[in-house]
């Protein structure tokens, strides 16, 4: 093998050759690289370390720039660092720090070499080894090399000492036990170095620590806030100034004067020409916004102007601020401004704007919305913005509002109608979701429509072929609902003509429910005649209760707007014509639904020929109508989980059924749709109707089917949903007491609503905020200060206690002069940590990294790490609660010192 | 799997109140054409993640105009970048780290490079990528600034260079000897 390796040595390409070669390759770069890698693979096996190191260097280059895997060369890298030649060593270390990670199998082989180099007389070899350790140190490595690193803490070379401290941090992180061995020395070392000048960097770092400690200890804040303000006034370094500002706005928001000062400084930032400062100013404002909204309002103009900044980051930040400024009183104005602005901006930012409007407005169940009519029409307007891609969100909100806010339904139907009727919108695939919501709303609340026939026409227009099948099904279903509504109104009308006033009462007795809905029709009828303003939707709702009164007065009104036999036949023909082709649709759902509707139309047509409506037909219509008039309400996301499983319920079986029914509709708002979409009813009802040609007996079967389905729904979804159980009765929307699961959340929510109801402005409408149905829970996660919660873990509580005892010390350690005695003393306290316990915690830590609780445990274990710093001092006296906390303080102090050390010149 | 776990743990760092975690997660040098010139990772990223990070970031950063601010929010981190001639220097930091300070570090690094190479240009970094690494190593350790004096860094690097040179001479002479001996 000697001769090939010799050849390699003589004719080896150098790194420069490779780089040049790569630069000359225009197209076949990857081919060239793989060729080079082939060469490297051969060369790297050479026994000549020089050849090997050049090969390794080339490989490192290719790895770092072109991301070619180099883990296979791990062993060769180790060979290189064991070379006595410094240049080989350097190449080897570079390769190792680039490519090794914890799963590298040969990593333990470098332990000895690292140890040797750490002890080397050549300080540069030492520094190479330290760099490498800081980058790749695993727990094992750290454990084995701790003594050497600690020896280096007292090295005579300043730069070695600095690096050693940097590495110690890593070691502490990886191998907590190390703290025991070295703490004393570390402290000595830190104390030994002269206090360095307070550079901006160090200042920034200190401030960061204060910011983190401040929430835990109010008294600390008091002492620190003045010096920080001084700094802010005096310093010329923008980075330090910004850190001061950030510290104040994040942690010292209670100190009026400090906040005022920093807001003034933020203002300077905002008007600065430097985009960086502007951005940071906005950023600082957005931090302070939740606590001191006035700061944002004061800078309103700058913020709003920044919306049109060139920089997308600045725009985004100012958008957040604008959203933060939105409140009940100005939501209308600000949304107007934003929507107008979104029309002018680029698609991406336009959608950011729309997204922030949507999320702000729906916060805490539409907390800030007073005038829902306005909001619904805003939603409609937003859908028409050309770049709008928020279809899904708007869809959800339309349906959600429809179900929650009764009073807004007429407006909702109007908005939905406008959307449906516009054929141009069908071409935009981003709007399909919105159209689906509009169709559903129009079908579900058709009683508020002025021209139902127009809606059917819109739903069946030819361009609906552009819709995806899942949405077409919603269209078909809505058309079916509207048809039922029309037929039903027609029937009522006929009855009213035939019988006189007396028949009203009769109708009431015999068919309470159906005359109930007749009341709806009649309730609406006068409204149509009057101007829109005069129309009070409440009346139509109330009419359930006092329908007879309205009925008496408005029979004639009904007649005027009502359906004639001809119009009904036309409607049926239209539906037959439009749905006919769909009965052969390849999509199962579309096909099935259109066939159902066609079957129904067919049946009705036979029954109402010659202007005569058979009793059977009217019964069927009544029945289906009853099914559709049932109120649908919002359902809590986790309602289902709460249902206790009754005995004998085949849970799996039923769920599979539901899947089969709902599976085809891929609407993510499955909560609203599983309830809201009338699949249950439609399938139950329409399937059974063709059979019912024989006799009315099957129809009773269908009712029972329906009832059963409802019951099932009830079991799955509705325990917390009071609306469903009482058939047609509107429940008082705002007392969400479902017997079993009342909880505090609900009360909170109710209180919230109450509050938001109090200040009614929008005086021009003189209309109270409509009732918004809220669920007990799971519906909304009200945005309550989560931050405070996370901070309030055990540890911080403990820290607070301890800090209370130690303020003076902490404060003195703030001043950059290291306070030897205090930290040493603390070192002593640390001694008594029982190892087994801390081991356990560490063990736990690994498996579930990444969830907050593990963070906490990590946190805690870190506390322990530090606590093990001074094992030699067995004389500790106090154990117990105080222990942990004092350690925490130590960490901070050590942090300060270490950093000072690191950053000093 | 292990890597992805650690990835998550990184994501939570900025929520944690440990002041000692490394503040710079990685350093990237990208040319205006999107070519990577230097990468240094202070937090564990797998090879795949590295490629992804670079692809994403170069897309975001290169497309930004000249008069915009130097910060980009990215996956819950902040990336501070600055363009010098045709090179973009990028450093990724936590949300609550000081952007202006990192900007100063970048500038510091560039000044040191400039002093070392004598008005540095992209080609210098291309052909001496390992030196750029060594200089960075003197500047930062474990993601923290460790040496704020330009002079010191220059002195350290020069000393190491001379060591390498002498070692090389030695090596090449040896290989010459071997080569001649085996002829």
């Amino acid at each position: 093998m000697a001769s090939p390796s010799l050849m390699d040595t003589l004719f080896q390409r150098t790194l420069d050759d490779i780089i040049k070669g790569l630069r000359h390759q225009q197209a076949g770069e990857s081919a060239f690289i793989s060729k080079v890698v082939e060469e490297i693979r051969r060369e790297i096996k050479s026994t000549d370390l020089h050849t090997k190191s050049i090969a390794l260097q080339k490989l490192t280059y290719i790895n770092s720039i072109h991301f070619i895997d180099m883990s296979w060369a791990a062993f060769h890298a180790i060979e290189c660092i064991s070379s006595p030649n410094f240049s080989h060593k350097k190449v080897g270390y570079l390769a190792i720090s680039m490519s090794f990670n914890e799963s590298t199998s040969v990593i333990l082989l470098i332990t000895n070499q690292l140890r040797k180099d750490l002890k080397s007389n050549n300080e540069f070899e030492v520094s190479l080894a330290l760099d490498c350790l800081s980058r790749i140190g695993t727990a094992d490595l750290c454990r084995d090399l701790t003594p050497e690193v600690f020896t280096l803490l007292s090295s005579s070379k300043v730069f070695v000492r600095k690096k050693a401290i940097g590495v110690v941090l890593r070691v502490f992180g990886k191998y907590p036990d190390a703290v025991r061995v070295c703490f004393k020395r570390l402290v000595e070392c830190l104390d030994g170095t002269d206090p360095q000048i307070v550079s901006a960097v160090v200042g920034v770092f200190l401030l960061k620590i204060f910011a983190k400690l401040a929430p835990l200890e109010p008294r600390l804040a008091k002492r620190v806030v003045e010096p920080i303000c001084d700094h802010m006034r005096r310093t010329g370094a923008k980075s330090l100034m910004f850190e001061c500002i950030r510290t104040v706005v994040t942690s010292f928001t209670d100190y009026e004067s400090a906040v005022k000062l920093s807001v003034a400084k933020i203002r300077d930032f905002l008007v600065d020409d430097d985009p960086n400062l502007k951005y940071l100013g906005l950023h600082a404002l957005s931090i302070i916004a939740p606590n001191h909204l006035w700061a944002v309002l004061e800078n309103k103009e700058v913020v709003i102007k920044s919306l049109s900044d060139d920089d997308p980051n600045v725009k985004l930040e100012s958008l957040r601020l604008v959203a933060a400024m939105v409140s009940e009183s100005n939501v209308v104005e600000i949304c107007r401004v934003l929507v107008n602005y979104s029309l002018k901006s680029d698609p991406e930012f336009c959608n950011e704007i729309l997204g922030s409007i949507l999320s702000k407005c729906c916060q805490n169940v539409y907390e800030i919305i007073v005038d829902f009519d306005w909001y619904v029409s805003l939603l409609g307007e937003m859908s028409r913005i050309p770049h709008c891609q928020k279809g899904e969100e708007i869809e959800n909100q339309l349906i959600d509002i429809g179900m929650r806010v009764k009073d807004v339904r007429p407006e909702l139907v109007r908005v939905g109608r406008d959307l449906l009727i516009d054929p141009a919108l069908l071409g935009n695939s981003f709007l399909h979701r919105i159209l689906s919501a509009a169709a559903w709303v129009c079908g579900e609340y058709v009683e508020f429509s002025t021209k139902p026939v127009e809606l059917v026409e819109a739903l069946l227009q030819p361009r609906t072929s552009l819709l995806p099948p899942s949405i077409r099904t919603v269209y078909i279903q809505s058309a079916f609902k509207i048809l039922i509504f029309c037929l039903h109104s027609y029937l009522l009308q006929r009855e009213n003509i035939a019988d006189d006033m007396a028949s009203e009462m009769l109708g009431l007795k015999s068919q309470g429910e159906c005359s109930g809905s007749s009341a709806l029709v009649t309730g609406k009828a006068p409204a149509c005649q009057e101007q829109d303003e005069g129309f009070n939707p409440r009346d139509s709702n109330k009419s359930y209760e006092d329908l007879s009164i309205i009925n008496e007065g408005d029979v004639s009104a009904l007649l005027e707007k009502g359906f004639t036999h001809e119009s009904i036949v036309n409607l049926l023909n239209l539906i037959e014509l439009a749905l006919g082709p769909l009965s052969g649709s390849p999509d199962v759902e579309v096909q099935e639904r259109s066939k159902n509707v066609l079957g129904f139309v067919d049946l009705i047509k036979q029954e109402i020929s010659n202007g005569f409506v058979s009793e059977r037909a009217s019964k069927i219509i009544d029945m289906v109508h009853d099914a559709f008039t049932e109120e649908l309400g919002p359902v809590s996301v986790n309602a289902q989980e709460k249902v206790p499983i009754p005995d004998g319920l085949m849970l799996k079986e039923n769920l599979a059924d539901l899947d089969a029914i709902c599976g085809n509709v891929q609407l993510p708002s499955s909560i609203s749709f599983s309830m809201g979409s009338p699949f249950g009813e439609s399938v139950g009802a329409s399937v059974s109707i063709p059979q019912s040609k024989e006799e009315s007996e099957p129809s009773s079967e269908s009712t029972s089917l329906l009832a059963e389905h409802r019951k099932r729904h009830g079991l799955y979804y509705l325990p917390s949903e009071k609306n469903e159980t009482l058939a047609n009765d509107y429940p008082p929307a705002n007392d969400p007491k479902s017997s079993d699961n009342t909880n505090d959340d609900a009360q909170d929510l109710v209180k919230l609503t109450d509050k938001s109801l109090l200040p009614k402005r929008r005086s021009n409408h003189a209309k109270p905020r409509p009732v918004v149905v809220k669920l007990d829970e799971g519906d909304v996660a009200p945005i309550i200060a989560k931050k405070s919660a996370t901070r309030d873990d055990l540890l911080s509580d403990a820290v607070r206690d301890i800090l209370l005892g130690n303020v003076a010390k902490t404060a003195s350690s703030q001043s950059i002069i290291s306070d030897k005695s205090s930290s040493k003393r603390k070192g002593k306290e640390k001694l008594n940590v029982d190892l087994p316990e801390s081991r356990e915690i560490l063990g736990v830590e690994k498996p579930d990294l990444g969830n907050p609780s593990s963070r906490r445990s990590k946190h805690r274990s870190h506390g322990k790490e530090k606590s093990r710093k001074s094992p030699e001092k067995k004389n500790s006296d106090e154990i117990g609660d105080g222990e942990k906390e004092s350690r925490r303080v130590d960490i901070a102090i050590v942090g300060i010192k270490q950093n000072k050390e690191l950053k000093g010149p | 799997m292990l890597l992805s776990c650690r990835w998550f743990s990184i994501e939570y760092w900025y929520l944690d109140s440990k002041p000692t975690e490394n503040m710079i997660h990685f350093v990237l040098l990208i040319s205006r054409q999107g070519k990577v010139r230097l990468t240094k990772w202070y937090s564990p990223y797998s090879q795949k993640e590295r490629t992804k990070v670079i692809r994403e970031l170069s897309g975001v950063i290169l497309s930004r105009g000249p008069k915009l601010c130097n910060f980009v929010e990215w996956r819950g981190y902040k990336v501070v970048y600055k363009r010098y001639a045709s090179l973009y220097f990028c450093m990724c930091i936590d949300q609550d780290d000081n952007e202006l300070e990192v900007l100063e570090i970048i500038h510091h690094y560039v000044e040191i490079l400039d002093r070392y190479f004598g008005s540095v240009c992209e080609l210098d970094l291309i052909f001496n990528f390992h030196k750029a690494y060594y200089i960075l190593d003197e500047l930062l350790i474990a993601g923290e600034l460790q040496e704020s004096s330009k002079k010191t860094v220059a002195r350290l690097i020069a000393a190491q260079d001379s060591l390498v040179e002498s070692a090389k001479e030695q090596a090449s002479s040896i290989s010459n000897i071997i080569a001649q001996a085996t002829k």
Side-chain angles (χ1 to χ4, degrees):
Chain A
M1 285 310 283
S3 61
S5 84
L6 183 63
M7 291 305 282
D8 286 341
T9 312
L10 289 176
F11 299 104
Q12 185 178 26
R13 287 204 258 194
T14 65
L15 177 62
D16 278 7
D17 296 337
I18 302 280
I19 296 173
K20 279 180 193 147
L22 268 173
R23 285 171 63 78
H24 289 129
Q25 301 287 323
Q26 295 307 329
E29 207 176 53
S30 61
F32 182 77
I33 290 175
S34 53
K35 196 170 137 236
V36 169
V37 173
E38 271 315 299
E39 276 175 24
I40 292 173
R41 277 181 186 274
R42 202 153 24 86
E43 291 165 8
I44 211 167
K45 290 190 189 121
S46 158
T47 48
D48 177 23
L49 274 176
H50 185 66
T51 313
K52 192 188 278 288
S53 76
I54 288 183
L56 188 65
Q57 192 176 30
K58 291 192 285 187
L59 185 60
T60 314
Y61 174 79
I62 291 176
N63 168 265
S64 79
I65 307 295
H66 299 283
F67 304 104
I68 301 298
D69 177 54
M70 66 177 289
S71 53
W72 54 270
F75 189 75
H76 299 290
I78 295 177
E79 281 182 313
C80 278
I81 63 168
S82 61
S83 159
N85 184 315
F86 185 69
S87 68
H88 299 165
K89 220 185 246 310
K90 226 173 162 182
V91 169
Y93 272 121
L94 181 60
I96 287 177
S97 66
M98 298 279 287
S99 64
F100 277 30
N101 59 39
E102 299 202 336
S103 55
T104 304
S105 53
V106 292
I107 200 164
L108 284 180
L109 295 179
I110 66 172
T111 315
N112 273 327
Q113 187 57 43
L114 276 176
R115 182 174 292 139
K116 219 171 114 198
D117 285 337
L118 287 173
K119 286 180 177 164
S120 162
N121 289 326
N122 182 340
E123 73 254 32
F124 297 108
E125 287 180 6
V126 176
S127 103
L128 279 180
L130 284 174
D131 277 336
C132 176
L133 191 58
S134 82
R135 177 63 196 82
I136 64 163
T138 61
D140 286 338
L141 274 180
C142 291
R143 186 192 60 220
D144 295 341
L145 296 173
T146 306
E148 282 76 19
V149 174
F150 290 157
T151 317
L152 290 174
L153 285 177
S154 46
S155 158
S156 59
K157 303 278 179 196
V158 179
F159 88 97
V160 171
R161 218 155 54 203
K162 279 184 192 161
K163 285 195 173 180
I165 291 168
V167 173
V168 166
L169 294 185
R170 168 91 187 189
V171 171
F172 284 174
K174 287 286 170 189
Y175 174 62
D177 283 354
V179 182
R180 293 195 302 160
V181 190
C182 84
F183 184 72
K184 188 178 168 206
R185 184 169 284 158
L186 183 59
V187 171
E188 276 169 5
C189 163
L190 290 168
D191 291 340
T193 52
D194 292 354
Q196 314 279 8
I197 357 123
V198 192
S199 73
V201 176
V202 175
V204 167
F205 191 80
L206 281 176
L207 286 168
K208 223 167 263 165
I209 293 173
F210 292 149
K212 276 161 181 160
L213 287 178
L216 306 175
E217 169 46 46
R219 281 156 62 188
L220 172 66
K222 221 179 282 172
R223 305 192 54 149
V224 174
V225 85
E226 237 348 275
I228 291 182
C229 289
D230 278 352
H231 259 301
M232 225 190 292
R233 284 189 204 100
R234 281 198 314 243
T235 184
K238 292 280 189 229
S239 59
L240 183 54
M241 162 118 58
F242 178 64
E243 199 57 42
C244 291
I245 293 173
R246 176 145 59 187
T247 312
V248 170
V249 296
T250 46
S251 310
F252 304 123
T253 46
D254 298 338
Y255 294 83
E256 199 66 25
S257 61
V259 171
K260 279 212 174 110
L261 179 62
S262 46
V263 171
K265 293 290 178 191
I266 289 175
R267 214 185 158 74
D268 291 347
F269 274 30
L270 286 178
V271 295
D272 202 291
D273 286 337
D274 186 348
N276 288 341
L277 296 185
K278 191 169 181 184
Y279 169 78
L280 292 177
L282 290 171
H283 185 67
L285 271 188
S286 69
I287 297 174
I288 206 174
N291 292 317
H292 295 275
L293 198 59
W294 58 266
V296 188
L297 294 172
E298 223 168 61
N299 296 298
K300 205 172 171 180
E301 305 91 75
V302 189
V303 170
I304 295 192
K305 263 186 216 148
S306 311
L307 273 183
S308 49
D309 200 278
D310 291 336
D311 191 337
N313 285 344
V314 172
K315 284 203 281 190
L316 216 55
E317 204 65 49
S318 75
L319 178 61
R320 277 177 213 164
L321 284 172
V322 172
M325 283 192 281
V326 173
S327 73
E328 206 176 304
S329 53
N330 59 13
V331 61
V332 178
E333 290 81 4
I334 292 189
C335 286
R336 172 68 22 227
V337 172
L338 286 179
V339 168
N340 284 342
Y341 185 68
S342 73
L343 286 168
K344 287 181 275 175
S345 50
D346 58 306
E348 195 183 336
F349 192 58
C350 169
N351 280 301
E352 289 285 351
I353 293 178
L354 297 184
S356 76
I357 295 178
L358 288 170
S359 61
K360 182 72 191 177
C361 288
C362 76
Q363 216 173 62
N364 291 348
V365 198
Y366 312 99
E367 194 179 32
I368 57 168
I369 307 287
V370 175
D371 183 353
F372 275 90
D373 286 356
W374 162 79
Y375 185 57
V376 167
S377 52
L378 180 75
L379 286 178
E381 193 180 328
M382 280 158 69
S383 329
R384 289 163 181 274
I385 291 175
H387 300 306
C388 173
Q389 294 174 8
K390 294 283 169 190
E392 190 174 336
E393 184 60 28
I394 295 180
E395 173 203 33
N396 290 341
Q397 291 200 11
L398 282 176
I399 292 176
D400 197 40
I401 292 176
M403 287 191 293
R404 287 176 195 276
V405 190
K406 240 170 268 163
D407 295 359
V408 81
R409 285 173 190 170
E411 176 68 11
L412 201 53
V413 171
R414 197 191 59 74
V415 169
R417 169 201 167 273
D418 289 350
L419 290 174
L420 289 178
I421 225 159
D422 187 348
L425 299 183
L426 287 163
N428 181 349
S429 63
F430 289 116
L431 294 184
H432 286 169
R433 309 284 301 260
I434 303 175
L435 290 176
S436 141
W440 184 82
V441 162
C442 287
E444 187 64 25
Y445 307 119
V446 60
E447 65 264 25
F448 299 109
S449 163
T450 47
K451 292 178 195 155
V453 180
E454 184 186 69
L455 281 177
V456 176
E457 282 163 1
L459 287 171
L460 299 176
Q461 62 185 297
R463 271 175 73 90
T464 51
S465 57
L466 296 169
L467 293 170
S470 61
I471 291 171
R472 286 207 95 172
T473 56
V474 179
Y475 266 61
I476 297 170
Q477 190 62 31
S478 296
F480 182 50
K481 283 182 190 169
I482 298 171
L483 169 68
I484 295 292
F485 172 77
C486 294
L487 288 171
H488 189 254
S489 318
Y490 172 61
L491 286 185
L492 281 177
Q493 202 178 306
R494 284 174 53 90
E495 275 172 35
N496 289 337
I497 300 168
D499 318 335
D500 235 347
M501 300 288 280
S503 73
E504 288 288 331
M505 306 313 292
L506 195 88
L508 255 185
K509 277 175 200 163
S510 62
Q511 326 171 314
E513 281 170 349
C514 100
S515 55
S517 42
S518 87
L520 270 183
V521 180
T522 53
K524 179 197 59 211
C528 317
Q529 292 175 324
E530 293 163 33
Q531 300 93 318
D532 276 331
E533 292 101 322
F535 176 44
N536 184 350
R538 293 220 152 208
D539 278 350
S540 62
N541 292 330
K542 272 186 201 143
S543 59
Y544 271 116
E545 286 106 60
D546 46 17
L547 48 112
S548 54
I549 306 164
I550 296 175
N551 265 359
E552 274 176 61
D554 294 330
V555 179
S556 56
L558 175 73
L559 287 178
E560 275 172 39
K561 86 150 262 193
F563 302 91
T564 62
H565 176 70
E566 201 179 25
S567 69
I568 289 294
V569 171
N570 281 342
L571 186 60
L572 290 171
N573 285 337
L574 170 71
I575 292 176
E576 206 165 21
L577 187 71
L579 293 186
L582 290 184
S583 61
S585 161
D587 187 85
V588 182
E589 195 72 21
V590 172
Q591 186 196 15
E592 187 180 350
R593 284 173 189 233
S594 49
K595 278 201 163 153
N596 287 339
V597 177
L598 284 173
F600 181 80
V601 167
D602 201 34
L603 167 74
I604 298 297
K605 263 181 141 181
Q606 287 171 18
E607 299 288 339
I608 67 168
S609 52
N610 314 326
F612 170 78
V613 181
S614 76
E615 189 149 327
R616 208 167 53 161
S618 67
K619 256 190 188 163
I620 294 170
I621 291 168
D622 278 351
M623 204 179 61
V624 182
H625 183 255
D626 288 352
F628 282 158
T629 44
E630 209 155 315
E631 177 83 353
L632 301 172
V635 179
S636 156
V637 186
N638 38 22
Q640 187 169 356
E641 292 161 16
K642 294 212 193 111
V643 186
I645 302 170
D647 293 341
L649 176 67
M650 304 294 285
L651 202 50
K652 281 199 175 152
E653 206 173 82
N654 285 339
L655 278 176
D657 283 355
L658 274 181
D659 275 353
I661 295 169
C662 305
N664 273 358
V665 185
Q666 310 117 350
L667 297 172
S669 60
S670 55
I671 328 139
S672 49
F673 261 84
S674 60
M675 256 324 294
S677 83
F679 293 140
E681 296 111 13
S682 72
V683 174
S686 52
V687 165
S688 60
I689 281 159
Q691 299 168 348
S692 71
K693 277 175 194 163
E694 322 299 325
E695 253 296 41
S696 61
E697 176 258 325
S699 78
S700 74
E701 187 187 312
S702 80
T703 5
S704 71
L705 264 178
L706 257 178
E708 194 170 318
H709 192 85
R710 284 248 166 247
K711 211 161 128 201
R712 268 201 255 153
H713 264 278
L715 285 174
Y716 284 125
Y717 298 103
L718 295 178
S720 63
E721 224 281 278
K722 51 280 160 190
N723 289 3
E724 251 1 57
T725 42
L726 322 166
N728 263 350
D729 224 15
Y730 280 118
N734 217 0
D735 73 341
K737 297 292 161 283
S738 103
S739 46
D740 41 355
N741 45 20
T742 331
N743 62 23
D744 298 349
D745 276 13
Q747 261 124 28
D748 287 349
L749 281 179
V750 173
K751 265 182 228 155
L752 272 176
T753 7
D754 286 347
K755 261 183 236 155
S756 61
L757 277 172
L758 283 180
K760 299 166 206 159
R761 55 168 303 297
R762 308 251 80 218
S763 46
N764 49 341
H765 275 238
K767 191 162 78 176
R769 184 174 190 264
V771 174
V772 180
V773 179
K774 290 180 184 180
L775 297 177
D776 298 358
E777 63 172 81
D779 192 9
V780 226
I783 300 170
I784 301 163
K786 269 182 194 160
K787 274 182 199 158
S788 63
T790 52
R791 300 224 176 205
D792 277 349
D793 58 7
L794 287 176
L795 189 57
S796 10
D797 279 347
V799 173
R800 185 177 304 124
D801 296 343
I802 277 300
L803 274 171
L804 280 170
N806 287 346
V807 203
K809 263 173 263 154
T810 336
S812 66
S813 68
Q814 301 148 4
S815 54
I816 294 89
I817 300 141
S818 43
D819 181 340
K820 200 191 263 178
S821 63
S822 78
S823 38
K824 268 194 180 162
R825 226 208 48 175
K826 269 170 208 150
K828 269 174 207 158
E829 282 167 14
K830 311 203 161 141
L831 52 177
N832 30 4
V833 187
D834 43 352
L835 290 183
E837 189 205 346
S838 59
R839 280 258 166 73
E840 266 172 51
I841 289 170
L842 284 174
V844 171
E845 175 186 340
K846 276 185 187 160
D848 55 6
L849 279 175
N851 70 34
S853 75
S854 82
R855 230 190 308 143
R856 207 167 295 145
S857 76
K858 202 173 174 184
H859 199 142
R860 210 169 294 148
S861 66
H862 268 268
K864 294 230 166 92
E865 292 152 23
K866 306 279 169 177
S867 70
R868 256 174 261 130
K869 281 172 192 167
S870 50
E872 64 269 43
K873 303 173 195 166
K874 297 284 178 214
N875 58 341
S876 101
D877 24 34
E878 23 162 323
I879 310 174
D881 291 351
E883 193 192 12
K884 258 187 215 160
E885 303 79 31
S886 68
R887 268 181 250 137
R888 188 75 179 81
V889 176
D890 286 339
I891 297 169
I893 293 169
V894 170
I896 294 170
K897 290 183 177 170
Q898 285 166 346
N899 218 61
K900 175 179 51 121
E901 173 71 5
L902 276 180
K903 300 199 167 148
Chain B
M1 190 56 208
L2 187 63
L3 276 173
S4 69
C5 284
R6 281 190 288 154
W7 171 264
F8 276 116
S9 75
I10 302 166
E11 300 218 315
Y12 281 105
W13 279 353
Y14 69 94
L15 297 172
D16 215 330
S17 49
K18 279 175 293 168
T20 52
E21 284 298 357
N22 60 351
M23 100 176 173
I24 296 170
H25 295 293
F26 53 79
V27 177
L28 296 181
L29 266 65
I30 309 174
S31 79
R32 207 152 49 100
Q33 290 78 30
K35 296 248 184 208
V36 182
R37 296 305 181 203
L38 181 146
T39 57
K40 178 86 183 175
W41 310 86
Y42 293 101
S43 302
Y45 290 85
S46 73
Q47 205 71 255
K48 232 187 223 167
E49 286 163 343
R50 293 179 183 187
T51 332
K52 204 174 147 217
V53 164
I54 287 177
R55 203 180 328 110
E56 271 181 35
L57 275 182
S58 55
V60 173
I61 289 173
L62 297 182
S63 62
R64 286 172 64 83
K67 283 186 180 166
L68 310 183
C69 72
N70 294 110
F71 319 123
V72 177
E73 282 179 46
W74 171 80
R75 290 209 217 153
Y77 298 105
K78 277 203 185 116
V79 176
V80 178
Y81 73 93
K82 192 155 168 64
R83 182 175 161 187
Y84 290 89
S86 57
L87 264 189
Y88 286 85
F89 288 69
C90 319
M91 292 190 180
C92 173
I93 54 172
D94 289 330
Q95 279 286 354
D96 58 353
D97 279 325
N98 193 310
E99 297 89 340
L100 295 175
E101 187 194 341
V102 175
L103 218 47
E104 282 164 13
I105 294 179
I106 291 179
H107 190 68
H108 191 57
Y109 180 46
V110 175
E111 280 183 342
I112 293 173
L113 287 176
D114 199 55
R115 191 175 283 206
Y116 180 79
F117 289 107
S119 82
V120 65
C121 68
E122 195 181 337
L123 276 182
D124 290 327
L125 298 184
I126 294 173
F127 285 101
N128 297 291
F129 89 106
H130 48 293
K131 293 195 173 155
Y133 276 109
Y134 297 140
I135 295 175
L136 193 59
D137 280 345
E138 295 303 327
L139 196 65
L140 302 171
I141 194 163
E144 296 276 2
L145 182 68
Q146 64 151 356
E147 184 51 76
S148 55
S149 154
K150 277 171 250 172
K151 238 185 250 164
T152 315
V153 174
R155 189 169 50 77
L156 292 174
I157 295 292
Q160 296 192 47
D161 275 353
S162 63
L163 262 180
V164 170
E165 280 313 311
S166 60
K168 257 189 192 157
E169 271 166 30
Q170 209 185 342
S172 61
S173 64
I174 290 172
S175 73
N176 279 342
I177 292 164
I178 297 171
Q180 280 163 5
T182 47
K183 236 171 201 172

